[in-house]
Amino acid sequence: MIKKIIVSTCLLLSLVSFAQQATSSPYSYYGIGDVRFKGALENRSMAGLSVAPDSIHINLENPAGFANLKLTTFTMGGSQNFTSLKADNQNASAQRTTLDYLALGLPLGKFGAGFGIIPYSSVGYKIETVATDPTQANKRFDGSGGLNKVFLGLGYKILHNLSIGADVHYNFGQIQSNNLEFMPYVPIGSRELNVANLSGVNFDIGMMFQSKISKNLSFFSSLNYSPESVLISNNTRDIATVTYGSNFNLAVVDELENIITKANLKLPRKLSVGAGVGNSGRWLLGAEITLQDKGSLINDYNASSNAGYGKSEKYSIGGFYIPENKTFSSYGKRITYRAGLKYEKTGLIINSQSINDVGLTLGVGLPLIGTFSNVNIGLELGKKGTTATGLVQENYTNLNLSFSLNDKWFRKTKFN
């Protein structure tokens, strides 16, 4: 059954691009856009917590988790995002529907493998500045695209309570920005079109450990490290005179200049450390800290004198609870309830203000009767940015949905 679902999903994804406009944040103008959460919805609903091993859910944040899989697991997730944008005396709203990840995990004895695709960052903004002086030009900025990751990972169980893992990511994507300057009531202007084609490779290594504190209580810990890596950006800048209509549909009148450049961006090294306590399969309470060095992500076309990057930090507290995981008489007692709180210092600094992200996450895991598979539903409420120094505050609501489908592969069917 799971094989048919995977084939059908891959056919569907041949019609869907991961380079979707998956954000409506003006902050996605900077660097390579909004960096999105890497993990599955099960972890996202706990504010990103990923410290405990799991035999039926894929851990996309720590490759050591692949070694704990007991069943072949296929997972995919998507989100509906609603954002309210607030600035001085101005308000706006936007919404987006996105596909968040697609992955397959395979148990291989003491080994476990996983592969899939994850959008890493997204660019999506439309900004217009109207000059107060009629002799000055108005400006419109819009951008789209992002960076995606195709990954292949392998985990190995050294001991029954200790596993390690590593994965390799191939990064690819395209970011496009369109800047238009025009005089009021004059249907002609100048356009600067920038296209950045991104590519590169990076690695992750991870470890997961658990030990018994007492009969019904265990200690869990995890570590994940990503070394610094290079992201190559092949840039094309096209400057032209254009005409435009009421919907700002552009038509090139005269191409003035075409410039091709190349830049080496740096994805900074990152370290995540987490720990928690709980009763395996029943409940968990834990915390995780992620520290990331200063990145070098400003490209030729989006360099700004008032913006830069510093070190980033993320703090998460979360957990789950299952009333009775081994019962089959009550469906309600087998539902998984998840929750978490997060605080993130994104590392982006504009007008000397650090752009921070604070959020609350909630979720439920609904088991499919007669299987180990489940449907996960999540809710995320948060605030990003500030209205200080002329900036924008984003209040967002994310509705998330994922499927985690389990089956046994590589077994020989017997007939009587």
Side-chain angles (χ1 to χ4, degrees), residues 330-351:
S330 174
Y331 180 84
K333 291 182 178 180
R334 294 173 55 211
I335 294 175
T336 303
Y337 300 90
R338 304 182 177 99
L341 293 169
K342 68 172 185 177
Y343 170 80
E344 183 176 5
K345 185 178 178 181
T346 66
L348 179 62
I349 302 171
I350 306 175
N351 295 341

Side-chain angles (χ1 to χ4, degrees), residues 69-389:
L69 290 174
K70 300 300 182 185
L71 296 172
T72 297
T73 303
F74 170 72
T75 184
M76 66 179 296
S79 302
Q80 178 74 30
N81 171 264
F82 303 89
T83 305
S84 173
L85 305 171
K86 180 181 178 182
D88 292 337
N89 302 318
Q90 296 184 58
N91 294 279
S93 61
Q95 64 181 61
R96 295 286 185 271
T97 302
T98 64
L99 186 61
D100 293 334
Y101 57 87
L102 173 71
L104 179 69
L106 301 170
L108 304 170
K110 286 191 174 183
F111 288 91
F115 59 91
I117 183 170
I118 306 173
Y120 179 76
S121 70
S122 295
V123 174
Y125 59 86
K126 290 184 179 179
I127 304 170
E128 181 173 350
T129 60
V130 179
T132 56
D133 186 343
T135 63
Q136 300 294 316
N138 296 336
K139 299 180 180 180
R140 287 174 63 95
F141 307 89
D142 65 83
S144 61
L147 182 67
N148 308 305
K149 287 178 174 283
V150 174
F151 73 90
L152 173 64
L154 186 68
Y156 177 66
K157 190 175 285 293
I158 299 176
L159 302 170
H160 73 281
N161 61 349
L162 175 64
S163 60
I164 59 173
D167 57 20
V168 57
H169 298 251
Y170 173 67
N171 308 309
F172 69 97
Q174 184 183 91
I175 296 175
Q176 186 174 122
S177 67
N178 200 8
N179 306 330
L180 174 67
E181 290 192 16
F182 59 97
M183 298 300 294
Y185 312 110
V186 179
I188 191 168
S190 62
R191 182 215 63 189
E192 179 183 306
L193 175 64
N194 292 284
V195 178
N197 289 292
L198 307 169
S199 63
V201 176
N202 73 296
F203 303 88
D204 290 337
I205 55 175
M207 179 275 293
M208 301 186 76
F209 173 77
Q210 68 178 100
S211 64
K212 282 282 188 180
I213 299 175
S214 64
K215 181 180 178 180
N216 296 316
L217 189 65
S218 296
F219 170 77
F220 305 95
S221 63
S222 68
L223 182 146
N224 192 47
Y225 177 69
S226 302
E228 181 181 273
S229 61
V230 175
L231 190 63
I232 299 172
S233 179
N234 292 300
N235 305 322
T236 301
R237 172 176 293 175
D238 182 77
I239 302 175
T241 301
V242 297
T243 59
Y244 59 91
S246 58
N247 294 323
F248 284 89
N249 297 319
L250 305 182
V252 175
V253 176
D254 184 26
E255 187 175 84
L256 303 178
E257 190 174 18
N258 187 274
I259 304 171
I260 298 175
T261 61
K262 183 177 180 180
N264 287 336
L265 311 181
K266 288 185 179 180
L267 295 176
R269 62 179 179 177
K270 182 173 68 173
L271 174 67
S272 297
V273 179
V277 294
N279 184 340
S280 183
R282 284 291 307 279
W283 64 273
L284 170 73
L285 179 63
E288 195 164 31
I289 300 174
T290 300
L291 305 175
Q292 183 172 282
D293 283 351
K294 177 181 177 181
S296 179
L297 299 173
I298 301 296
N299 214 329
D300 295 339
Y301 63 89
N302 62 5
S304 178
S305 60
N306 69 332
Y309 281 89
K311 294 183 177 181
S312 67
E313 306 168 1
K314 181 181 179 182
Y315 303 91
S316 301
I317 299 174
F320 71 83
Y321 173 68
I322 306 174
E324 184 59 63
N325 64 326
K326 294 182 179 180
T327 184
F328 290 94
S329 60
S330 174
Y331 180 84
K333 291 182 178 180
R334 294 173 55 211
I335 294 175
T336 303
Y337 300 90
R338 304 182 177 99
L341 293 169
K342 68 172 185 177
Y343 170 80
E344 183 176 5
K345 185 178 178 181
T346 66
L348 179 62
I349 302 171
I350 306 175
N351 295 341
S352 300
Q353 291 284 334
S354 176
I355 306 303
N356 301 328
D357 188 351
V358 181
L360 164 70
T361 62
L362 301 168
V364 293
L366 305 176
L368 299 180
I369 297 175
T371 72
F372 289 99
S373 302
N374 53 84
V375 176
N376 300 287
I377 301 171
L379 172 66
E380 188 173 8
L381 305 172
K383 181 185 76 170
K384 181 179 180 181
T386 175
T387 56
T389 65

